[in-house]
Amino acid sequence: MILLVLLHKGKGGGLSDMFGGGFSSNFGGSSVVERNLDRLTIITGTIWFVCIIALGLLMKP
């Protein structure tokens, strides 16, 4: 999950600018790869959230 978030382009003004992400975000718009990465990150986050809730319910005494 952390890797997927770090793969995203910086939108400016954040931590990514400190590491050079702001420079590369000025080139081009939203590509197919970026949209697929967004979808993959959202799906992975949702599955992760559901697993955490399920484990919390299963571990309840």
Side-chain angles (χ1 to χ4, degrees):
M1 185 70 192
I2 293 171
L3 180 64
L4 288 173
V5 171
L6 290 176
L7 284 173
H8 285 281
K9 274 188 174 183
K11 301 294 182 195
L15 198 59
S16 63
D17 283 344
M18 186 183 308
F19 299 110
F23 177 73
S24 63
S25 68
N26 291 332
F27 299 109
S30 181
S31 68
V32 174
V33 175
E34 291 173 29
R35 282 181 281 174
N36 287 337
L37 182 60
D38 288 341
R39 290 180 188 137
L40 183 63
T41 305
I42 290 170
I43 291 168
T44 304
T46 304
I47 291 171
W48 190 355
F49 180 75
V50 168
C51 287
I52 289 172
I53 297 299
L55 282 173
L57 293 174
L58 287 174
M59 300 301 276
K60 232 173 153 179

